[in-house]
Amino acid sequence: MQQTMEHSTAKHYSEGDQSTQRLRDKKLGDLMVNKRRLVEVPYTASLAHTMNTLVANKVLAVPVAAPPGQWIGAGGSMIMEADKHTGTVRKHYIGLATMLDLLAHIAGNEDQLMDEGVHDGFDLDQKMSVPVSSIIGHCLEGLSLWTLNPNTSPNFSILDCMEVFSKGIHRALVPVDSHMDNVSGVELVESASSYRMLTQMDVLRFVKEHGTSGSELDNIISSTVSDLGAVTERVFAITDRTKVIDAIKCMRIALLNAVPIVRSSDTDNEEDHKQLVNGRGRQAIGTFSATDLRGCHFATLQTWLPMSALDYTETVLANPLLAAFNNAAGSPTTRELVACRADSSLGEVIDKVVSKHVHRLWVVDQQGLLKGLISLTDIIRVLRLAILSEQNA
């Protein structure tokens, strides 16, 4: 097991342009510079096409577009793409398709998979041929489609973005040339000629690149994550005997995109390896994540579904082709436990999630025993509160 415990300092945050305004004064538009065109799929796209789109673009979720007037949007939202000049609506974004949605659909009914055989009788092609619209909402995040509008709210700041992302929203569409007027905040109704996607990771990457030494961030990023209240002590895990198919089912039910892998208990022979276990105080030996599965072409799924999640991280991720993909995507390429300690500084934690491109850090003690976790939501929440606290002081 390789633990990454690099020590960063506030000097990483001194490389930004110190002549620019303070971080708290940055606007949403500043975060959208050089953002690429939105990656999306039509509602008729097969799951195979959708998965290939996720893989090719190195993303974990894509909006699903449908003709206007035929669907109720995710969460009742009405997010439209319209002609820039005429305002004629061209498409309606009806929800998100995430990697976890696809994996949960593939795993499907466990008993059926095992009875029919994940090896011989299991018709994966048929499972992957259904339209993506049929799986929207299987996982809760697929029903969480939001927009952030810099055009109708010019003063929408990075702190306003942080407020949205601190509530557990992982990504939001940002309209270009919006047709809405006098609306601010998180929108349920929107129309624009095009959109870009902004994620929690984008915000933290911006903070890392544009935070300046001698500014409001100095005291904040040197504070420990424990002192800032960023550590969530409750952490669910799977054991080293949990199969990939069972891990996916557990993650779908618990709405988790990743779980730590812990050593099986030698004293508890009744431990259920098909269920999540309380990971606190257990030896962490790896991570099983939807991100790890992103590089697998769907044709290979039959072979790894019955494997243990630990074997998957040790053997499949060691495949040179998949390792090359994950390296290009910025994901760990070995069974690496990307972790921190409760006394790690916030600056160290931000550096690590951005450089390793992970969406959470496991908090461990000196013996490698789990003490909790820190998600991107946790980081953004405490960072925003600390900036506001210093501002008010």
Side-chain angles (χ1 to χ4, degrees):
M1 177 182 66
Q2 177 185 358
Q3 281 194 26
T4 59
M5 288 285 184
E6 307 96 5
H7 290 285
S8 307
T9 67
K11 68 180 180 181
H12 291 280
Y13 292 81
S14 65
E15 299 170 357
D17 181 1
Q18 296 190 37
S19 65
T20 61
Q21 70 218 100
R22 297 173 305 173
L23 181 70
R24 74 185 70 166
D25 297 324
K26 297 287 188 180
K27 306 302 179 188
L28 175 57
D30 296 321
L31 278 73
M32 303 309 298
V33 176
N34 298 324
K35 289 292 292 181
R36 67 180 177 180
R37 186 176 179 83
L38 183 67
V39 178
E40 62 183 67
V41 294
Y43 76 109
T44 54
S46 68
L47 297 192
H49 172 78
T50 303
M51 177 170 279
N52 289 336
T53 299
L54 292 169
V55 170
N57 291 279
K58 301 179 178 66
V59 294
L60 288 175
V62 288
V64 179
Q70 298 183 19
W71 295 81
I72 298 175
S77 62
M78 296 292 287
I79 300 175
M80 309 289 190
E81 181 182 290
D83 184 270
K84 180 177 181 179
H85 302 290
T86 66
T88 302
V89 176
R90 295 185 295 233
K91 64 181 71 168
H92 177 195
Y93 293 107
I94 60 175
L96 284 173
T98 70
M99 181 60 76
L100 191 55
D101 285 321
L102 271 67
L103 296 174
H105 174 80
I106 292 166
N109 185 304
E110 174 194 11
D111 295 333
Q112 179 184 1
L113 284 180
M114 293 310 181
D115 290 343
E116 295 181 359
V118 175
H119 30 281
D120 298 322
F122 176 51
D123 192 344
L124 184 61
D125 286 337
Q126 182 178 359
K127 264 186 172 288
M128 297 300 290
S129 67
V130 303
V132 66
S133 57
S134 66
I135 68 164
I136 292 177
H138 284 194
C139 297
L140 185 61
E141 188 173 4
L143 296 177
S144 302
L145 191 57
W146 304 99
T147 69
L148 298 171
N149 198 325
N151 301 306
T152 55
S153 182
N155 294 321
F156 202 88
S157 70
I158 188 173
L159 290 180
D160 295 321
C161 295
M162 287 182 178
E163 181 179 12
V164 172
F165 289 134
S166 71
K167 298 181 185 301
I169 296 174
H170 297 159
R171 53 184 59 81
L173 295 175
V174 178
V176 178
D177 301 318
S178 174
H179 296 287
M180 300 296 293
D181 293 313
N182 300 320
V183 183
S184 62
V186 182
E187 312 295 350
L188 288 176
V189 180
E190 185 63 69
S191 177
S193 61
S194 62
Y195 293 85
R196 301 291 185 266
M197 185 72 80
L198 184 71
T199 67
Q200 290 178 320
M201 183 64 77
D202 291 330
V203 172
L204 291 178
R205 187 179 295 113
F206 186 89
V207 169
K208 183 177 184 298
E209 292 174 353
H210 294 83
T212 57
S213 180
S215 73
E216 77 271 34
L217 286 189
D218 247 9
N219 292 333
I220 297 171
I221 64 173
S222 62
S223 300
T224 69
V225 288
S226 178
D227 288 342
L228 291 170
V231 180
T232 299
E233 294 186 351
R234 189 176 188 183
V235 54
F236 293 105
I238 58 173
T239 75
D240 51 14
R241 301 181 190 176
T242 303
K243 295 180 179 179
V244 168
I245 188 171
D246 295 318
I248 293 171
K249 287 186 63 180
C250 291
M251 290 161 63
R252 177 184 64 82
I253 294 171
L255 305 177
L256 299 173
N257 283 301
V259 286
I261 304 172
V262 298
R263 293 198 185 281
S264 302
S265 173
D266 295 329
T267 58
D268 188 358
N269 294 325
E270 297 183 357
E271 188 168 57
D272 188 350
H273 303 292
K274 293 184 177 182
Q275 304 294 329
L276 294 174
V277 299
N278 180 6
R280 186 169 169 80
R282 302 281 290 268
Q283 183 75 43
I285 57 176
T287 299
F288 182 75
S289 168
T291 306
D292 299 334
L293 303 165
R294 181 174 54 186
C296 286
H297 190 273
F298 76 89
T300 67
L301 302 187
Q302 287 181 236
T303 59
W304 54 252
L305 279 173
M307 295 173 62
S308 77
L310 182 63
D311 285 343
Y312 175 85
T313 63
E314 291 183 327
T315 59
V316 177
L317 283 178
N319 180 289
L321 292 178
L322 186 55
F325 172 87
N326 281 326
N327 185 59
S331 302
T333 56
T334 59
R335 183 166 62 88
E336 178 182 355
L337 185 68
V338 186
C340 69
R341 297 187 181 134
D343 59 358
S344 297
S345 72
L346 183 62
E348 293 172 25
V349 167
I350 294 176
D351 278 341
K352 190 166 290 188
V353 295
V354 172
S355 62
K356 295 294 184 180
H357 203 78
V358 295
H359 294 79
R360 89 292 310 155
L361 292 181
W362 311 121
V363 180
V364 298
D365 62 15
Q366 293 183 348
Q367 287 73 45
L369 302 180
L370 278 169
K371 295 300 179 184
L373 65 92
I374 302 174
S375 67
L376 299 192
T377 298
D378 295 323
I379 297 172
I380 292 173
R381 172 179 53 82
V382 299
L383 178 60
R384 173 181 173 271
L385 290 176
I387 293 174
L388 289 175
S389 178
E390 290 209 353
Q391 178 178 325
N392 294 334

